[in-house]
Amino acid sequence: MLKFFSCSLNHNQAVMPFLKQEASEEEMLVAGWGHKPTADRARRYAAEHGLPYIALEDGFLRSLDLGCRGAQPLSLVVDSTGIYYDAGGPSDLETMLNGSGWETPELADSARRAMRDIVRFRLSKYNHAPDAPKGVWGETPSPRVLLIDQTTGDASVTLGGADEDTFREMLEDALAAYPPQQIRIKTHPDVIAGKKTGYLADAACGRGVKVIAADYAPLSLLAGADVVYTATSQMGFEALLLGKDVHCFGIPFYAGWGLTNDRRPCPRRTKRRSLPEVFAAAYLLYARYVNPIHGERCDIHDAIGLLAEQRARNERNRGYHACVGFRWWKRPYARAYLQSTGGETAFFRDKRRAALSAWAKGGDVVAWSSGVDETLQKLCDDAGVTLARMEDGFIRSIGLGSDFNWPYSLVVDRKGIYYDPSRPSELEDILNAMPEHPDHAALLKRAAALRDLILQHGLTKYNTGTAPVPDLPKGKTIILVPGQVEDDASVRSGGFGMGNMDLLRAVREARPDAFILYKPHPDVESGNRQGSLPDTAALGCADGILRDVSMGSLLQAVDEVHTLTSQTGFEALLRGITVFTYGGPFYAGWGLTHDRQTFPRRRARLCLDELTAGTLLLYPTYYDWQTGNFCRAEDACRRLLQPGGQMRGRIWARFITAARGFLRGMGR
């Protein structure tokens, strides 16, 4: 059992997934947060009742944004002895590093891989800040020296054996060893924001030392330094990951193990430890990780993968976005998928105003792909701004978008759009480069696991349909012909003049002895879109029409799929089904389908996992509405598989959907 003293109910809810083990134990435990006033009350309660006490604190890889802005934590530390930043007494982390028996080759390998990925993706505790520009160090000669300032009175400073005099000592020591023009001071983000004060900025006034008064991603700034001075900041440890010479003037968790130049000894720390060992103890064994999408414990590699994806999407969205032509109900989607800690989104009805606004603010124009026309393209070209097209992704929702079900994936393509074969797209570039991708092996492993997840649960784009698959004749080739929305942009741009009826005739001509099933598009069946075929016309070529059957179950029963541009062809490929294309879908031309058309730009010959990796892992953006943050394809799938995982439109949207359905029923 667990009694948790915290600041708020929301905070309690955020940390409870980390404490399921403690919460399930019969013995009562008392937990408190760091050294907040509530923790003092928790300690008193534990002492008065003779109960064990555990201290909680944010982990070293916490989240994309700050906790004060509502970002859910990916990591947490749980300490039954002390807490890692309190050098006045031992902690579980310190005890572990002084002890032995936990070091294994497997743990060391895992630590080295995690260290490599943290450096590669430039991850830190918080990951909202942009990379430092190349000119931040200017013409500073080597060795370049970085002094890390911290906030006045912070617990990690005072409990780490440091104070105002410590920072003055640090500055004087640096100035005694290096000329001032080689020294930079990194101001804490809270000081930049005006929320707190620091130690070094005032002390450096008139000393010729420049202050970096901007919030940059820590590892990007550290990369330009040669020597780092710190009191107790986590940036000192991150500097070690980058191979920098680190001087500690307080006693952070990583000092005293032989890795740093220490000005204050810690007699309790008796062992010499390698960097991978300190990292493994702190980041792999001491810290706990929880995937916020499914609320279950995960390992550091899963946390790094999710955080890297969030940071990459956040950085891609930096800047100004002038959105034009979005219907009112799609605006929340655009705002969510274009969000960034350094971004701004505005909506326009007028195309010219949108282009001029993007030009004035150095941003781009974003439009729903079907709303892009020659006029908008020319306005953007004339203004010299990028036109980005937005469209539904390939694993979208449970239910149709036209019924106001929120999308868990969208694509934002700044070159073209995946369904238009007449021009290049970012997806085409991704797939052409897949065989030489630097993460090729890891991506293929993820792609194979994602395919297994999709096949196991029968996931598709919309995941509609409940009717069972009817009995089908044995001894015949079963062919599925998926109907499409005939005025859809993918058919207009990639159908090469063919429609649903043209496709059925072509399939019957090519396969006169096959058993052909025609499945109208769910948007057409719902009455939301155009493209309906009279049953009599369809049955002139097809042997049967299937309506409310789930695509996932239907694909298990067919031998071939023949299509113009439908995503069903891609979903069939994922299941190992033979696919014939008559138009120009994004998955044609890579050596995996039988194609009527040719695609000269598509040069690569891909395996199925390469196609899957490029199409599902790299190209779309995934967004989790429940946590309000970006996620990966695997996370979106798991969210959709949860009971009630699909987020639906607000009350007014649900009312419109219900009313629309009622009126259709009255018209039948």
Side-chain angles (χ1 to χ4, degrees), residues 153-177:
D154 186 78
S156 70
V157 174
T158 57
L159 298 176
D163 55 19
E164 186 175 357
D165 291 338
T166 305
F167 285 86
R168 283 203 186 93
E169 179 191 353
M170 186 164 73
L171 176 62
E172 296 300 331
D173 192 275
L175 285 169

PDB file of all heavy atoms in Angstrom, residues 153-177:
ATOM      1  N   GLY A 153      19.234  29.111  -4.888  1.00  0.00           N
ATOM      2  CA  GLY A 153      18.508  28.375  -3.875  1.00  0.00           C
ATOM      3  C   GLY A 153      17.942  27.039  -4.301  1.00  0.00           C
ATOM      4  O   GLY A 153      17.223  26.394  -3.517  1.00  0.00           O
ATOM      5  N   ASP A 154      18.237  26.591  -5.517  1.00  0.00           N
ATOM      6  CA  ASP A 154      17.723  25.301  -5.981  1.00  0.00           C
ATOM      7  C   ASP A 154      18.226  24.178  -5.073  1.00  0.00           C
ATOM      8  O   ASP A 154      19.375  24.195  -4.612  1.00  0.00           O
ATOM      9  CB  ASP A 154      18.161  25.043  -7.424  1.00  0.00           C
ATOM     10  CG  ASP A 154      17.541  23.791  -7.998  1.00  0.00           C
ATOM     11  OD1 ASP A 154      16.356  23.845  -8.377  1.00  0.00           O
ATOM     12  OD2 ASP A 154      18.223  22.760  -8.069  1.00  0.00           O
ATOM     13  N   ALA A 155      17.360  23.197  -4.821  1.00  0.00           N
ATOM     14  CA  ALA A 155      17.715  22.118  -3.900  1.00  0.00           C
ATOM     15  C   ALA A 155      18.937  21.348  -4.361  1.00  0.00           C
ATOM     16  O   ALA A 155      19.760  20.919  -3.543  1.00  0.00           O
ATOM     17  CB  ALA A 155      16.529  21.163  -3.732  1.00  0.00           C
ATOM     18  N   SER A 156      19.090  21.165  -5.673  1.00  0.00           N
ATOM     19  CA  SER A 156      20.253  20.426  -6.168  1.00  0.00           C
ATOM     20  C   SER A 156      21.548  21.185  -5.900  1.00  0.00           C
ATOM     21  O   SER A 156      22.618  20.576  -5.801  1.00  0.00           O
ATOM     22  CB  SER A 156      20.101  20.143  -7.662  1.00  0.00           C
ATOM     23  OG  SER A 156      20.229  21.325  -8.427  1.00  0.00           O
ATOM     24  N   VAL A 157      21.469  22.510  -5.772  1.00  0.00           N
ATOM     25  CA  VAL A 157      22.644  23.323  -5.453  1.00  0.00           C
ATOM     26  C   VAL A 157      22.939  23.253  -3.953  1.00  0.00           C
ATOM     27  O   VAL A 157      24.038  22.879  -3.526  1.00  0.00           O
ATOM     28  CB  VAL A 157      22.444  24.788  -5.894  1.00  0.00           C
ATOM     29  CG1 VAL A 157      23.621  25.655  -5.405  1.00  0.00           C
ATOM     30  CG2 VAL A 157      22.317  24.880  -7.408  1.00  0.00           C
ATOM     31  N   THR A 158      21.946  23.600  -3.144  1.00  0.00           N
ATOM     32  CA  THR A 158      22.174  23.665  -1.706  1.00  0.00           C
ATOM     33  C   THR A 158      22.470  22.290  -1.109  1.00  0.00           C
ATOM     34  O   THR A 158      23.325  22.151  -0.230  1.00  0.00           O
ATOM     35  CB  THR A 158      20.966  24.300  -1.000  1.00  0.00           C
ATOM     36  OG1 THR A 158      19.788  23.534  -1.308  1.00  0.00           O
ATOM     37  CG2 THR A 158      20.752  25.733  -1.476  1.00  0.00           C
ATOM     38  N   LEU A 159      21.783  21.256  -1.568  1.00  0.00           N
ATOM     39  CA  LEU A 159      22.029  19.911  -1.059  1.00  0.00           C
ATOM     40  C   LEU A 159      23.245  19.255  -1.701  1.00  0.00           C
ATOM     41  O   LEU A 159      23.718  18.224  -1.229  1.00  0.00           O
ATOM     42  CB  LEU A 159      20.795  19.036  -1.271  1.00  0.00           C
ATOM     43  CG  LEU A 159      19.529  19.489  -0.538  1.00  0.00           C
ATOM     44  CD1 LEU A 159      18.346  18.596  -0.902  1.00  0.00           C
ATOM     45  CD2 LEU A 159      19.751  19.484   0.971  1.00  0.00           C
ATOM     46  N   GLY A 160      23.715  19.857  -2.781  1.00  0.00           N
ATOM     47  CA  GLY A 160      24.917  19.360  -3.438  1.00  0.00           C
ATOM     48  C   GLY A 160      26.190  20.027  -2.955  1.00  0.00           C
ATOM     49  O   GLY A 160      27.241  19.921  -3.598  1.00  0.00           O
ATOM     50  N   GLY A 161      26.094  20.736  -1.817  1.00  0.00           N
ATOM     51  CA  GLY A 161      27.278  21.328  -1.210  1.00  0.00           C
ATOM     52  C   GLY A 161      27.752  22.599  -1.870  1.00  0.00           C
ATOM     53  O   GLY A 161      28.943  22.944  -1.777  1.00  0.00           O
ATOM     54  N   ALA A 162      26.849  23.332  -2.524  1.00  0.00           N
ATOM     55  CA  ALA A 162      27.235  24.556  -3.217  1.00  0.00           C
ATOM     56  C   ALA A 162      26.393  25.728  -2.733  1.00  0.00           C
ATOM     57  O   ALA A 162      25.318  25.560  -2.153  1.00  0.00           O
ATOM     58  CB  ALA A 162      27.094  24.382  -4.729  1.00  0.00           C
ATOM     59  N   ASP A 163      26.908  26.933  -2.986  1.00  0.00           N
ATOM     60  CA  ASP A 163      26.200  28.158  -2.648  1.00  0.00           C
ATOM     61  C   ASP A 163      26.714  29.272  -3.537  1.00  0.00           C
ATOM     62  O   ASP A 163      27.449  29.024  -4.514  1.00  0.00           O
ATOM     63  CB  ASP A 163      26.355  28.509  -1.161  1.00  0.00           C
ATOM     64  CG  ASP A 163      27.830  28.607  -0.730  1.00  0.00           C
ATOM     65  OD1 ASP A 163      28.725  28.771  -1.602  1.00  0.00           O
ATOM     66  OD2 ASP A 163      28.084  28.509   0.492  1.00  0.00           O
ATOM     67  N   GLU A 164      26.373  30.515  -3.208  1.00  0.00           N
ATOM     68  CA  GLU A 164      26.793  31.651  -4.023  1.00  0.00           C
ATOM     69  C   GLU A 164      28.311  31.744  -4.108  1.00  0.00           C
ATOM     70  O   GLU A 164      28.870  32.033  -5.173  1.00  0.00           O
ATOM     71  CB  GLU A 164      26.209  32.943  -3.449  1.00  0.00           C
ATOM     72  CG  GLU A 164      26.472  34.165  -4.314  1.00  0.00           C
ATOM     73  CD  GLU A 164      25.785  35.409  -3.784  1.00  0.00           C
ATOM     74  OE1 GLU A 164      25.046  35.299  -2.772  1.00  0.00           O
ATOM     75  OE2 GLU A 164      25.975  36.491  -4.380  1.00  0.00           O
ATOM     76  N   ASP A 165      28.983  31.473  -3.023  1.00  0.00           N
ATOM     77  CA  ASP A 165      30.453  31.530  -3.021  1.00  0.00           C
ATOM     78  C   ASP A 165      31.048  30.471  -3.955  1.00  0.00           C
ATOM     79  O   ASP A 165      32.100  30.698  -4.561  1.00  0.00           O
ATOM     80  CB  ASP A 165      30.989  31.341  -1.603  1.00  0.00           C
ATOM     81  CG  ASP A 165      30.678  32.531  -0.700  1.00  0.00           C
ATOM     82  OD1 ASP A 165      30.430  33.636  -1.226  1.00  0.00           O
ATOM     83  OD2 ASP A 165      30.670  32.343   0.545  1.00  0.00           O
ATOM     84  N   THR A 166      30.390  29.329  -4.051  1.00  0.00           N
ATOM     85  CA  THR A 166      30.865  28.265  -4.937  1.00  0.00           C
ATOM     86  C   THR A 166      30.901  28.744  -6.385  1.00  0.00           C
ATOM     87  O   THR A 166      31.864  28.493  -7.115  1.00  0.00           O
ATOM     88  CB  THR A 166      29.965  27.030  -4.820  1.00  0.00           C
ATOM     89  OG1 THR A 166      29.870  26.617  -3.461  1.00  0.00           O
ATOM     90  CG2 THR A 166      30.508  25.885  -5.673  1.00  0.00           C
ATOM     91  N   PHE A 167      29.855  29.427  -6.829  1.00  0.00           N
ATOM     92  CA  PHE A 167      29.805  29.906  -8.203  1.00  0.00           C
ATOM     93  C   PHE A 167      30.836  31.009  -8.443  1.00  0.00           C
ATOM     94  O   PHE A 167      31.416  31.093  -9.536  1.00  0.00           O
ATOM     95  CB  PHE A 167      28.387  30.375  -8.538  1.00  0.00           C
ATOM     96  CG  PHE A 167      27.427  29.237  -8.763  1.00  0.00           C
ATOM     97  CD1 PHE A 167      26.770  28.647  -7.694  1.00  0.00           C
ATOM     98  CD2 PHE A 167      27.207  28.734 -10.032  1.00  0.00           C
ATOM     99  CE1 PHE A 167      25.893  27.581  -7.890  1.00  0.00           C
ATOM    100  CE2 PHE A 167      26.340  27.660 -10.228  1.00  0.00           C
ATOM    101  CZ  PHE A 167      25.676  27.088  -9.158  1.00  0.00           C
ATOM    102  N   ARG A 168      31.056  31.858  -7.434  1.00  0.00           N
ATOM    103  CA  ARG A 168      32.112  32.868  -7.571  1.00  0.00           C
ATOM    104  C   ARG A 168      33.471  32.185  -7.706  1.00  0.00           C
ATOM    105  O   ARG A 168      34.303  32.584  -8.521  1.00  0.00           O
ATOM    106  CB  ARG A 168      32.112  33.808  -6.365  1.00  0.00           C
ATOM    107  CG  ARG A 168      31.036  34.843  -6.365  1.00  0.00           C
ATOM    108  CD  ARG A 168      31.419  36.026  -5.505  1.00  0.00           C
ATOM    109  NE  ARG A 168      30.323  36.977  -5.398  1.00  0.00           N
ATOM    110  CZ  ARG A 168      29.431  36.995  -4.463  1.00  0.00           C
ATOM    111  NH1 ARG A 168      29.493  36.093  -3.502  1.00  0.00           N
ATOM    112  NH2 ARG A 168      28.459  37.901  -4.456  1.00  0.00           N
ATOM    113  N   GLU A 169      33.706  31.166  -6.898  1.00  0.00           N
ATOM    114  CA  GLU A 169      34.946  30.404  -6.976  1.00  0.00           C
ATOM    115  C   GLU A 169      35.109  29.781  -8.361  1.00  0.00           C
ATOM    116  O   GLU A 169      36.211  29.782  -8.934  1.00  0.00           O
ATOM    117  CB  GLU A 169      34.947  29.317  -5.898  1.00  0.00           C
ATOM    118  CG  GLU A 169      36.189  28.423  -5.904  1.00  0.00           C
ATOM    119  CD  GLU A 169      36.017  27.216  -4.993  1.00  0.00           C
ATOM    120  OE1 GLU A 169      35.006  27.133  -4.257  1.00  0.00           O
ATOM    121  OE2 GLU A 169      36.898  26.327  -5.051  1.00  0.00           O
ATOM    122  N   MET A 170      34.026  29.259  -8.888  1.00  0.00           N
ATOM    123  CA  MET A 170      34.061  28.639 -10.211  1.00  0.00           C
ATOM    124  C   MET A 170      34.452  29.652 -11.284  1.00  0.00           C
ATOM    125  O   MET A 170      35.291  29.372 -12.153  1.00  0.00           O
ATOM    126  CB  MET A 170      32.682  28.031 -10.516  1.00  0.00           C
ATOM    127  CG  MET A 170      32.600  27.236 -11.800  1.00  0.00           C
ATOM    128  SD  MET A 170      31.089  26.192 -11.837  1.00  0.00           S
ATOM    129  CE  MET A 170      29.849  27.412 -12.106  1.00  0.00           C
ATOM    130  N   LEU A 171      33.875  30.831 -11.219  1.00  0.00           N
ATOM    131  CA  LEU A 171      34.199  31.879 -12.184  1.00  0.00           C
ATOM    132  C   LEU A 171      35.653  32.311 -12.069  1.00  0.00           C
ATOM    133  O   LEU A 171      36.356  32.434 -13.082  1.00  0.00           O
ATOM    134  CB  LEU A 171      33.261  33.071 -11.997  1.00  0.00           C
ATOM    135  CG  LEU A 171      33.525  34.292 -12.876  1.00  0.00           C
ATOM    136  CD1 LEU A 171      33.361  33.946 -14.355  1.00  0.00           C
ATOM    137  CD2 LEU A 171      32.599  35.451 -12.497  1.00  0.00           C
ATOM    138  N   GLU A 172      36.109  32.539 -10.835  1.00  0.00           N
ATOM    139  CA  GLU A 172      37.486  32.988 -10.636  1.00  0.00           C
ATOM    140  C   GLU A 172      38.478  31.924 -11.097  1.00  0.00           C
ATOM    141  O   GLU A 172      39.520  32.236 -11.678  1.00  0.00           O
ATOM    142  CB  GLU A 172      37.727  33.330  -9.163  1.00  0.00           C
ATOM    143  CG  GLU A 172      36.905  34.499  -8.641  1.00  0.00           C
ATOM    144  CD  GLU A 172      37.179  35.793  -9.409  1.00  0.00           C
ATOM    145  OE1 GLU A 172      38.310  35.959  -9.914  1.00  0.00           O
ATOM    146  OE2 GLU A 172      36.265  36.629  -9.519  1.00  0.00           O
ATOM    147  N   ASP A 173      38.179  30.672 -10.827  1.00  0.00           N
ATOM    148  CA  ASP A 173      39.053  29.589 -11.255  1.00  0.00           C
ATOM    149  C   ASP A 173      39.168  29.537 -12.762  1.00  0.00           C
ATOM    150  O   ASP A 173      40.256  29.355 -13.313  1.00  0.00           O
ATOM    151  CB  ASP A 173      38.507  28.257 -10.715  1.00  0.00           C
ATOM    152  CG  ASP A 173      39.492  27.129 -10.873  1.00  0.00           C
ATOM    153  OD1 ASP A 173      39.520  26.509 -11.962  1.00  0.00           O
ATOM    154  OD2 ASP A 173      40.221  26.834  -9.923  1.00  0.00           O
ATOM    155  N   ALA A 174      38.030  29.692 -13.451  1.00  0.00           N
ATOM    156  CA  ALA A 174      38.048  29.663 -14.914  1.00  0.00           C
ATOM    157  C   ALA A 174      38.839  30.837 -15.468  1.00  0.00           C
ATOM    158  O   ALA A 174      39.632  30.678 -16.409  1.00  0.00           O
ATOM    159  CB  ALA A 174      36.609  29.677 -15.443  1.00  0.00           C
ATOM    160  N   LEU A 175      38.645  32.033 -14.887  1.00  0.00           N
ATOM    161  CA  LEU A 175      39.355  33.215 -15.369  1.00  0.00           C
ATOM    162  C   LEU A 175      40.857  33.121 -15.081  1.00  0.00           C
ATOM    163  O   LEU A 175      41.669  33.687 -15.819  1.00  0.00           O
ATOM    164  CB  LEU A 175      38.769  34.475 -14.730  1.00  0.00           C
ATOM    165  CG  LEU A 175      37.413  34.921 -15.278  1.00  0.00           C
ATOM    166  CD1 LEU A 175      36.803  36.010 -14.394  1.00  0.00           C
ATOM    167  CD2 LEU A 175      37.571  35.436 -16.718  1.00  0.00           C
ATOM    168  N   ALA A 176      41.222  32.425 -14.035  1.00  0.00           N
ATOM    169  CA  ALA A 176      42.641  32.244 -13.741  1.00  0.00           C
ATOM    170  C   ALA A 176      43.303  31.292 -14.726  1.00  0.00           C
ATOM    171  O   ALA A 176      44.506  31.390 -14.988  1.00  0.00           O
ATOM    172  CB  ALA A 176      42.821  31.731 -12.313  1.00  0.00           C
ATOM    173  N   ALA A 177      42.530  30.379 -15.279  1.00  0.00           N
ATOM    174  CA  ALA A 177      43.090  29.361 -16.171  1.00  0.00           C
ATOM    175  C   ALA A 177      42.954  29.716 -17.649  1.00  0.00           C
ATOM    176  O   ALA A 177      43.747  29.232 -18.478  1.00  0.00           O
ATOM    177  CB  ALA A 177      42.417  28.014 -15.909  1.00  0.00           C
TER     178      ALA A 177
END
